[in-house]
Amino acid sequence: MARPATIPADARDGAAAAPVAKPKSVPQRAMEKLGLHRDIDLALHVPLRYEDETRLVAIAELRDGVTAQVQGVVQRCEIQLRNRRQLLVTLADGASDTLLLRFLHFYPSHQKALAEGRCVRVRGEARGGFFGLEMVHPSFKAIDGDLPLATSLTPVYPTSASLPQAYLRRAVASALNRVDLSENVPAELLPSGVVTLRDALRWLHHPPADASLAALEDRSHPAWQRLKFEELLAQQLSQLQAKHERAQQRAPRFKLAAGGLQEKLLAALPFSLTSAQRRVVEEIAADLQRARPDAGRGDATSVPMHRLLQGDVGSGKTVVAALAAAIAIHNGWQCALMAPTEILADQHFRKLVGWLEPLGITTAWLTGSRKGRGRREMLERVASGEAGLVVGTHAVIQDDVQFARLGLAIVDEQHRFGVAQRLALRSKLEQHSLEPHLLMMSATPIPRTLAMTMYADLDISTIDELPPGRTPIVTKLFADSKREAVVARIRDEVAQGKQVYWVCPLIEEAAEGDTAPIKGDARSSRRPFGERPELRNVIDTHQKLTEALPGVGVGLLHGRMKAADKAATMAQFIAGELSVLVATTVIEVGVDVPNASLMVIEHAERFGLSQLHQLRGRVGRGSVASVCVLLYAAPLSDTGKARLKAMAETTDGFEIARRDLEIRGPGEFLGARQSGAALLRFADLNDDLPLLHAARAAAEIMLKEHHDAAERQVQRWLGSKADYLKA
Ligand code: ADP
Ligand code: MG
């Protein structure tokens, strides 16, 4: 499948819109907003729930709180003016019982349709009112002559305000009639007991009156199983295709020379690698020097590496990256290292420069804030090939950056980059006849089930061990009312020469996902200061701590500051000139100050688990015993409690990722990947592992033996979204 050479402006709505002849109606536009472009999209838009319009209940049998359909003759229809103007309609269905219909909003048409003597069928929730049972704003239909009851349950679709349910129902029904639902999957590859896709969808949209609502709700019905299998299959196919495509591409093949740069670097390090670090370096080095399986004589290329290096915060990924860079540079190729924020890029730059420049490697530094001549000089160094190592933010992949010989791209905290940025990186890398190897690093370990699904086309290396001499971080929970005690604790730490972080939530940053391009942290400047209570919060806290800690250097760091000011503050903190750093989550990733021993996180209940773990990882980086204090605003929600409890109970990033997945579900866990993950609408990775295995096995066979059907399957499910999945 061809990838787009440029990124569509609206990367989230990837579906190709057909050329439009006449202007679209409001509901049509609303449908497109919901991603309902093609007939198949509508067919796969399954109901949220169902209404039972297949039977009538006698008024005498109505129960308080139960939704039901009744039919009767209007006895009285009057506008009541007392209290609030409303329309009251009394309905009788024989016997002595009557039902009151109450309309607080109504039009003359209501009065007409519900005039005395009219026969109507109404549906709504019966509630015990002052005058016996009543329904408020029931739906109703006039019965002229004979109106047969529905033969199947009535679907209620997820919709939006500008898309009426009735319109959507008609659209889905006619799409279901038109759409091609022929089978793509050879029968022998289907899990046993599943129904055809056509039957599954027919059943889900219009279940028979006697369908088990329980099986519908818990999604165990064979129709659901089929739908989930289909979805997982499409996703596995697209990932395997990506892997297959990658295997066709060529990257430079590196040699590991004795006495080479990486050996020199190893010898110069002030520590020796942990055995986990050694293992992952070997895995990476093996990728970089592997010959292609089909290599002829003299073929100096290999299959591009596509590897994720995951390791808990502080496990020492940077030095692994440096060693990989050393291998590439030793072979005469350039290495680019990208980090999601300037602060992080800055840290990497200093660390890597400190390691690599003494070995004679020239480095270049590209970020959004470096402009003008400085930038031009850097660009020249990159384009001429003089710079072996290029470090920076997403500025590294901008259009005017030309590499002489890019051989290895390393992306740190890759999940923090948005989908659009990852696609941009990709297309940048694909401009050359030889592609660079790609190493992604993440401190948020991917739970196994996700690794199999969302990241099936990745090889994974794991650092499962921390460098020796670290004392585990102790995590304590404090209600916000105990602030004083926390401030006293800060005084103690500072008196002992230690350093302290105090993190305040900045909701906009935390909740951003991948919708906005990451521009340093300058993105916060979109709104005037006064609208941002969260920013107030960090500034207030800074002021209060400054007052409460006389004689102590208290610094302030947040996204609205200029990059240079941020860097200066950070440098002061690293140098120990500031003892306390009050910051927003700009410090979330990768900041490394080994002397910091106390981390206070304010409003911890507002953070996600992985984010808390990242933040907590800013302390405990040296040998000093470290503490993380989670301040929370009582009372906590159940999820809030579960989260903070998990944080207090474990410091193991893998365990935390597992619980995060459990608490939030895969969609949210994936964060930036959500637009790709959104297509896992049906399958649930916690429950549907057997289906996932079946889909994986089927996908492998289909790609080999039923290539066209495989392609049709991917298109049916993903359409043009397929590219986002691979990002
Ligand atoms: P992360 O995996 O979170 O990116 P870093 O690469 O920043 O971790 O490493 C954390 C700290 O541990 C750094 O100060 C780094 O120099 C140090 N470090 C890395 N590897 C080792 C090791 N094998 N022994 C001792 N210290 C190490
Ligand atoms: Mg790091």
PDB file of all heavy atoms in Angstrom, residues 530-559:
ATOM      1  N   GLY A 530      -4.781  35.167  31.396  1.00  0.00           N
ATOM      2  CA  GLY A 530      -5.876  35.179  32.357  1.00  0.00           C
ATOM      3  C   GLY A 530      -6.788  33.975  32.274  1.00  0.00           C
ATOM      4  O   GLY A 530      -7.437  33.612  33.245  1.00  0.00           O
ATOM      5  N   GLU A 531      -6.840  33.320  31.116  1.00  0.00           N
ATOM      6  CA  GLU A 531      -7.739  32.188  30.976  1.00  0.00           C
ATOM      7  C   GLU A 531      -7.166  30.914  31.541  1.00  0.00           C
ATOM      8  O   GLU A 531      -7.732  29.851  31.386  1.00  0.00           O
ATOM      9  CB  GLU A 531      -8.004  31.949  29.491  1.00  0.00           C
ATOM     10  CG  GLU A 531      -9.035  32.850  28.903  1.00  0.00           C
ATOM     11  CD  GLU A 531      -9.170  32.529  27.424  1.00  0.00           C
ATOM     12  OE1 GLU A 531      -9.357  31.353  27.094  1.00  0.00           O
ATOM     13  OE2 GLU A 531      -9.062  33.457  26.632  1.00  0.00           O
ATOM     14  N   ARG A 532      -5.995  30.970  32.143  1.00  0.00           N
ATOM     15  CA  ARG A 532      -5.328  29.725  32.450  1.00  0.00           C
ATOM     16  C   ARG A 532      -5.108  29.553  33.935  1.00  0.00           C
ATOM     17  O   ARG A 532      -4.039  29.820  34.453  1.00  0.00           O
ATOM     18  CB  ARG A 532      -4.014  29.680  31.712  1.00  0.00           C
ATOM     19  CG  ARG A 532      -4.234  30.059  30.238  1.00  0.00           C
ATOM     20  CD  ARG A 532      -3.188  29.497  29.392  1.00  0.00           C
ATOM     21  NE  ARG A 532      -3.031  28.088  29.660  1.00  0.00           N
ATOM     22  CZ  ARG A 532      -1.890  27.449  29.574  1.00  0.00           C
ATOM     23  NH1 ARG A 532      -0.826  28.084  29.260  1.00  0.00           N
ATOM     24  NH2 ARG A 532      -1.839  26.180  29.821  1.00  0.00           N
ATOM     25  N   PRO A 533      -6.139  29.085  34.632  1.00  0.00           N
ATOM     26  CA  PRO A 533      -6.023  28.934  36.069  1.00  0.00           C
ATOM     27  C   PRO A 533      -4.905  27.974  36.451  1.00  0.00           C
ATOM     28  O   PRO A 533      -4.282  28.127  37.497  1.00  0.00           O
ATOM     29  CB  PRO A 533      -7.381  28.378  36.482  1.00  0.00           C
ATOM     30  CG  PRO A 533      -8.010  27.847  35.235  1.00  0.00           C
ATOM     31  CD  PRO A 533      -7.447  28.650  34.123  1.00  0.00           C
ATOM     32  N   GLU A 534      -4.611  27.013  35.575  1.00  0.00           N
ATOM     33  CA  GLU A 534      -3.569  26.046  35.928  1.00  0.00           C
ATOM     34  C   GLU A 534      -2.217  26.711  35.986  1.00  0.00           C
ATOM     35  O   GLU A 534      -1.362  26.354  36.780  1.00  0.00           O
ATOM     36  CB  GLU A 534      -3.516  24.891  34.922  1.00  0.00           C
ATOM     37  CG  GLU A 534      -4.851  24.283  34.585  1.00  0.00           C
ATOM     38  CD  GLU A 534      -5.527  25.014  33.439  1.00  0.00           C
ATOM     39  OE1 GLU A 534      -4.840  25.781  32.747  1.00  0.00           O
ATOM     40  OE2 GLU A 534      -6.725  24.830  33.257  1.00  0.00           O
ATOM     41  N   LEU A 535      -2.031  27.680  35.094  1.00  0.00           N
ATOM     42  CA  LEU A 535      -0.765  28.385  35.092  1.00  0.00           C
ATOM     43  C   LEU A 535      -0.661  29.238  36.357  1.00  0.00           C
ATOM     44  O   LEU A 535       0.361  29.298  37.020  1.00  0.00           O
ATOM     45  CB  LEU A 535      -0.672  29.258  33.846  1.00  0.00           C
ATOM     46  CG  LEU A 535       0.671  29.924  33.604  1.00  0.00           C
ATOM     47  CD1 LEU A 535       1.773  28.881  33.532  1.00  0.00           C
ATOM     48  CD2 LEU A 535       0.630  30.711  32.316  1.00  0.00           C
ATOM     49  N   ARG A 536      -1.772  29.856  36.703  1.00  0.00           N
ATOM     50  CA  ARG A 536      -1.866  30.576  37.966  1.00  0.00           C
ATOM     51  C   ARG A 536      -1.371  29.668  39.080  1.00  0.00           C
ATOM     52  O   ARG A 536      -0.563  30.034  39.917  1.00  0.00           O
ATOM     53  CB  ARG A 536      -3.322  30.855  38.243  1.00  0.00           C
ATOM     54  CG  ARG A 536      -3.969  32.161  38.398  1.00  0.00           C
ATOM     55  CD  ARG A 536      -3.469  33.419  38.872  1.00  0.00           C
ATOM     56  NE  ARG A 536      -2.142  33.718  39.350  1.00  0.00           N
ATOM     57  CZ  ARG A 536      -1.472  34.782  38.978  1.00  0.00           C
ATOM     58  NH1 ARG A 536      -1.963  35.592  38.073  1.00  0.00           N
ATOM     59  NH2 ARG A 536      -0.303  35.049  39.502  1.00  0.00           N
ATOM     60  N   ASN A 537      -1.879  28.462  39.068  1.00  0.00           N
ATOM     61  CA  ASN A 537      -1.561  27.486  40.086  1.00  0.00           C
ATOM     62  C   ASN A 537      -0.052  27.308  40.263  1.00  0.00           C
ATOM     63  O   ASN A 537       0.468  27.403  41.366  1.00  0.00           O
ATOM     64  CB  ASN A 537      -2.254  26.172  39.688  1.00  0.00           C
ATOM     65  CG  ASN A 537      -1.957  25.046  40.649  1.00  0.00           C
ATOM     66  OD1 ASN A 537      -1.478  25.289  41.755  1.00  0.00           O
ATOM     67  ND2 ASN A 537      -2.228  23.832  40.235  1.00  0.00           N
ATOM     68  N   VAL A 538       0.676  27.123  39.171  1.00  0.00           N
ATOM     69  CA  VAL A 538       2.100  26.869  39.312  1.00  0.00           C
ATOM     70  C   VAL A 538       2.818  28.139  39.787  1.00  0.00           C
ATOM     71  O   VAL A 538       3.744  28.087  40.603  1.00  0.00           O
ATOM     72  CB  VAL A 538       2.713  26.299  38.002  1.00  0.00           C
ATOM     73  CG1 VAL A 538       2.709  27.301  36.879  1.00  0.00           C
ATOM     74  CG2 VAL A 538       4.117  25.798  38.232  1.00  0.00           C
ATOM     75  N   ILE A 539       2.325  29.290  39.337  1.00  0.00           N
ATOM     76  CA  ILE A 539       2.956  30.541  39.762  1.00  0.00           C
ATOM     77  C   ILE A 539       2.670  30.824  41.239  1.00  0.00           C
ATOM     78  O   ILE A 539       3.560  31.202  42.005  1.00  0.00           O
ATOM     79  CB  ILE A 539       2.499  31.701  38.850  1.00  0.00           C
ATOM     80  CG1 ILE A 539       3.099  31.482  37.448  1.00  0.00           C
ATOM     81  CG2 ILE A 539       2.913  33.049  39.403  1.00  0.00           C
ATOM     82  CD1 ILE A 539       2.546  32.373  36.377  1.00  0.00           C
ATOM     83  N   ASP A 540       1.425  30.600  41.642  1.00  0.00           N
ATOM     84  CA  ASP A 540       1.067  30.757  43.063  1.00  0.00           C
ATOM     85  C   ASP A 540       1.897  29.848  43.951  1.00  0.00           C
ATOM     86  O   ASP A 540       2.430  30.252  44.981  1.00  0.00           O
ATOM     87  CB  ASP A 540      -0.407  30.393  43.283  1.00  0.00           C
ATOM     88  CG  ASP A 540      -1.326  31.525  42.874  1.00  0.00           C
ATOM     89  OD1 ASP A 540      -0.800  32.607  42.541  1.00  0.00           O
ATOM     90  OD2 ASP A 540      -2.547  31.319  42.894  1.00  0.00           O
ATOM     91  N   THR A 541       1.970  28.601  43.551  1.00  0.00           N
ATOM     92  CA  THR A 541       2.714  27.635  44.350  1.00  0.00           C
ATOM     93  C   THR A 541       4.170  28.067  44.486  1.00  0.00           C
ATOM     94  O   THR A 541       4.759  27.996  45.561  1.00  0.00           O
ATOM     95  CB  THR A 541       2.641  26.236  43.707  1.00  0.00           C
ATOM     96  OG1 THR A 541       1.272  25.894  43.550  1.00  0.00           O
ATOM     97  CG2 THR A 541       3.323  25.196  44.573  1.00  0.00           C
ATOM     98  N   HIS A 542       4.720  28.543  43.378  1.00  0.00           N
ATOM     99  CA  HIS A 542       6.098  29.013  43.410  1.00  0.00           C
ATOM    100  C   HIS A 542       6.256  30.144  44.422  1.00  0.00           C
ATOM    101  O   HIS A 542       7.178  30.165  45.236  1.00  0.00           O
ATOM    102  CB  HIS A 542       6.509  29.494  42.011  1.00  0.00           C
ATOM    103  CG  HIS A 542       7.851  30.153  41.984  1.00  0.00           C
ATOM    104  ND1 HIS A 542       8.029  31.486  41.721  1.00  0.00           N
ATOM    105  CD2 HIS A 542       9.086  29.649  42.223  1.00  0.00           C
ATOM    106  CE1 HIS A 542       9.315  31.777  41.785  1.00  0.00           C
ATOM    107  NE2 HIS A 542       9.979  30.684  42.085  1.00  0.00           N
ATOM    108  N   GLN A 543       5.280  31.054  44.397  1.00  0.00           N
ATOM    109  CA  GLN A 543       5.364  32.195  45.305  1.00  0.00           C
ATOM    110  C   GLN A 543       5.243  31.752  46.760  1.00  0.00           C
ATOM    111  O   GLN A 543       6.020  32.155  47.623  1.00  0.00           O
ATOM    112  CB  GLN A 543       4.260  33.178  44.953  1.00  0.00           C
ATOM    113  CG  GLN A 543       4.461  34.528  45.576  1.00  0.00           C
ATOM    114  CD  GLN A 543       3.404  35.515  45.092  1.00  0.00           C
ATOM    115  OE1 GLN A 543       2.691  35.227  44.111  1.00  0.00           O
ATOM    116  NE2 GLN A 543       3.297  36.632  45.756  1.00  0.00           N
ATOM    117  N   LYS A 544       4.287  30.870  47.011  1.00  0.00           N
ATOM    118  CA  LYS A 544       4.080  30.410  48.389  1.00  0.00           C
ATOM    119  C   LYS A 544       5.289  29.671  48.915  1.00  0.00           C
ATOM    120  O   LYS A 544       5.697  29.841  50.061  1.00  0.00           O
ATOM    121  CB  LYS A 544       2.841  29.516  48.468  1.00  0.00           C
ATOM    122  CG  LYS A 544       1.562  30.329  48.368  1.00  0.00           C
ATOM    123  CD  LYS A 544       0.349  29.518  48.780  1.00  0.00           C
ATOM    124  CE  LYS A 544      -0.925  30.323  48.518  1.00  0.00           C
ATOM    125  NZ  LYS A 544      -1.834  29.640  47.587  1.00  0.00           N
ATOM    126  N   LEU A 545       5.884  28.827  48.072  1.00  0.00           N
ATOM    127  CA  LEU A 545       7.051  28.077  48.527  1.00  0.00           C
ATOM    128  C   LEU A 545       8.230  29.010  48.761  1.00  0.00           C
ATOM    129  O   LEU A 545       9.007  28.825  49.692  1.00  0.00           O
ATOM    130  CB  LEU A 545       7.418  26.991  47.513  1.00  0.00           C
ATOM    131  CG  LEU A 545       6.515  25.753  47.547  1.00  0.00           C
ATOM    132  CD1 LEU A 545       6.916  24.771  46.460  1.00  0.00           C
ATOM    133  CD2 LEU A 545       6.570  25.063  48.905  1.00  0.00           C
ATOM    134  N   THR A 546       8.353  30.021  47.907  1.00  0.00           N
ATOM    135  CA  THR A 546       9.432  30.986  48.097  1.00  0.00           C
ATOM    136  C   THR A 546       9.287  31.661  49.459  1.00  0.00           C
ATOM    137  O   THR A 546      10.268  31.827  50.192  1.00  0.00           O
ATOM    138  CB  THR A 546       9.400  32.056  46.986  1.00  0.00           C
ATOM    139  OG1 THR A 546       9.347  31.379  45.734  1.00  0.00           O
ATOM    140  CG2 THR A 546      10.624  32.935  47.024  1.00  0.00           C
ATOM    141  N   GLU A 547       8.021  32.017  49.805  1.00  0.00           N
ATOM    142  CA  GLU A 547       7.790  32.659  51.098  1.00  0.00           C
ATOM    143  C   GLU A 547       8.034  31.701  52.251  1.00  0.00           C
ATOM    144  O   GLU A 547       8.609  32.053  53.278  1.00  0.00           O
ATOM    145  CB  GLU A 547       6.349  33.185  51.172  1.00  0.00           C
ATOM    146  CG  GLU A 547       6.166  34.463  50.368  1.00  0.00           C
ATOM    147  CD  GLU A 547       4.702  34.735  50.054  1.00  0.00           C
ATOM    148  OE1 GLU A 547       3.813  34.107  50.674  1.00  0.00           O
ATOM    149  OE2 GLU A 547       4.449  35.573  49.158  1.00  0.00           O
ATOM    150  N   ALA A 548       7.606  30.446  52.083  1.00  0.00           N
ATOM    151  CA  ALA A 548       7.718  29.476  53.180  1.00  0.00           C
ATOM    152  C   ALA A 548       9.147  28.977  53.366  1.00  0.00           C
ATOM    153  O   ALA A 548       9.476  28.393  54.395  1.00  0.00           O
ATOM    154  CB  ALA A 548       6.780  28.299  52.918  1.00  0.00           C
ATOM    155  N   LEU A 549      10.006  29.201  52.368  1.00  0.00           N
ATOM    156  CA  LEU A 549      11.365  28.673  52.457  1.00  0.00           C
ATOM    157  C   LEU A 549      12.383  29.793  52.281  1.00  0.00           C
ATOM    158  O   LEU A 549      13.102  29.851  51.283  1.00  0.00           O
ATOM    159  CB  LEU A 549      11.577  27.596  51.382  1.00  0.00           C
ATOM    160  CG  LEU A 549      10.672  26.366  51.447  1.00  0.00           C
ATOM    161  CD1 LEU A 549      10.705  25.591  50.133  1.00  0.00           C
ATOM    162  CD2 LEU A 549      11.077  25.460  52.598  1.00  0.00           C
ATOM    163  N   PRO A 550      12.463  30.685  53.263  1.00  0.00           N
ATOM    164  CA  PRO A 550      13.385  31.814  53.113  1.00  0.00           C
ATOM    165  C   PRO A 550      14.826  31.315  53.005  1.00  0.00           C
ATOM    166  O   PRO A 550      15.203  30.342  53.652  1.00  0.00           O
ATOM    167  CB  PRO A 550      13.174  32.618  54.407  1.00  0.00           C
ATOM    168  CG  PRO A 550      12.485  31.704  55.355  1.00  0.00           C
ATOM    169  CD  PRO A 550      11.743  30.693  54.548  1.00  0.00           C
ATOM    170  N   GLY A 551      15.559  31.946  52.132  1.00  0.00           N
ATOM    171  CA  GLY A 551      16.966  31.567  51.986  1.00  0.00           C
ATOM    172  C   GLY A 551      17.191  30.367  51.079  1.00  0.00           C
ATOM    173  O   GLY A 551      18.325  29.961  50.846  1.00  0.00           O
ATOM    174  N   VAL A 552      16.102  29.799  50.579  1.00  0.00           N
ATOM    175  CA  VAL A 552      16.253  28.643  49.697  1.00  0.00           C
ATOM    176  C   VAL A 552      15.981  29.084  48.255  1.00  0.00           C
ATOM    177  O   VAL A 552      15.045  29.844  48.007  1.00  0.00           O
ATOM    178  CB  VAL A 552      15.244  27.533  50.102  1.00  0.00           C
ATOM    179  CG1 VAL A 552      15.294  26.379  49.107  1.00  0.00           C
ATOM    180  CG2 VAL A 552      15.523  27.050  51.518  1.00  0.00           C
ATOM    181  N   GLY A 553      16.786  28.613  47.331  1.00  0.00           N
ATOM    182  CA  GLY A 553      16.572  28.956  45.921  1.00  0.00           C
ATOM    183  C   GLY A 553      15.418  28.137  45.351  1.00  0.00           C
ATOM    184  O   GLY A 553      15.509  26.921  45.230  1.00  0.00           O
ATOM    185  N   VAL A 554      14.335  28.840  45.012  1.00  0.00           N
ATOM    186  CA  VAL A 554      13.175  28.142  44.459  1.00  0.00           C
ATOM    187  C   VAL A 554      12.979  28.621  43.019  1.00  0.00           C
ATOM    188  O   VAL A 554      12.742  29.800  42.783  1.00  0.00           O
ATOM    189  CB  VAL A 554      11.900  28.431  45.291  1.00  0.00           C
ATOM    190  CG1 VAL A 554      10.711  27.652  44.731  1.00  0.00           C
ATOM    191  CG2 VAL A 554      12.124  28.083  46.760  1.00  0.00           C
ATOM    192  N   GLY A 555      13.071  27.711  42.069  1.00  0.00           N
ATOM    193  CA  GLY A 555      12.946  28.075  40.662  1.00  0.00           C
ATOM    194  C   GLY A 555      11.564  27.749  40.116  1.00  0.00           C
ATOM    195  O   GLY A 555      10.800  27.001  40.722  1.00  0.00           O
ATOM    196  N   LEU A 556      11.267  28.340  38.961  1.00  0.00           N
ATOM    197  CA  LEU A 556       9.956  28.138  38.342  1.00  0.00           C
ATOM    198  C   LEU A 556      10.156  27.752  36.875  1.00  0.00           C
ATOM    199  O   LEU A 556      10.951  28.353  36.162  1.00  0.00           O
ATOM    200  CB  LEU A 556       9.141  29.426  38.435  1.00  0.00           C
ATOM    201  CG  LEU A 556       7.803  29.474  37.705  1.00  0.00           C
ATOM    202  CD1 LEU A 556       6.830  28.473  38.306  1.00  0.00           C
ATOM    203  CD2 LEU A 556       7.211  30.886  37.763  1.00  0.00           C
ATOM    204  N   LEU A 557       9.417  26.737  36.456  1.00  0.00           N
ATOM    205  CA  LEU A 557       9.561  26.259  35.084  1.00  0.00           C
ATOM    206  C   LEU A 557       8.196  25.887  34.531  1.00  0.00           C
ATOM    207  O   LEU A 557       7.507  25.054  35.103  1.00  0.00           O
ATOM    208  CB  LEU A 557      10.455  25.010  35.096  1.00  0.00           C
ATOM    209  CG  LEU A 557      11.024  24.524  33.774  1.00  0.00           C
ATOM    210  CD1 LEU A 557      12.035  25.504  33.237  1.00  0.00           C
ATOM    211  CD2 LEU A 557      11.682  23.166  33.970  1.00  0.00           C
ATOM    212  N   HIS A 558       7.791  26.548  33.455  1.00  0.00           N
ATOM    213  CA  HIS A 558       6.532  26.132  32.829  1.00  0.00           C
ATOM    214  C   HIS A 558       6.567  26.413  31.336  1.00  0.00           C
ATOM    215  O   HIS A 558       7.473  27.088  30.829  1.00  0.00           O
ATOM    216  CB  HIS A 558       5.334  26.812  33.493  1.00  0.00           C
ATOM    217  CG  HIS A 558       5.346  28.299  33.406  1.00  0.00           C
ATOM    218  ND1 HIS A 558       5.077  28.967  32.250  1.00  0.00           N
ATOM    219  CD2 HIS A 558       5.630  29.232  34.347  1.00  0.00           C
ATOM    220  CE1 HIS A 558       5.174  30.271  32.478  1.00  0.00           C
ATOM    221  NE2 HIS A 558       5.518  30.461  33.738  1.00  0.00           N
ATOM    222  N   GLY A 559       5.593  25.870  30.649  1.00  0.00           N
ATOM    223  CA  GLY A 559       5.619  25.861  29.192  1.00  0.00           C
ATOM    224  C   GLY A 559       5.530  27.219  28.528  1.00  0.00           C
ATOM    225  O   GLY A 559       5.878  27.379  27.369  1.00  0.00           O
TER     226      GLY A 559
END
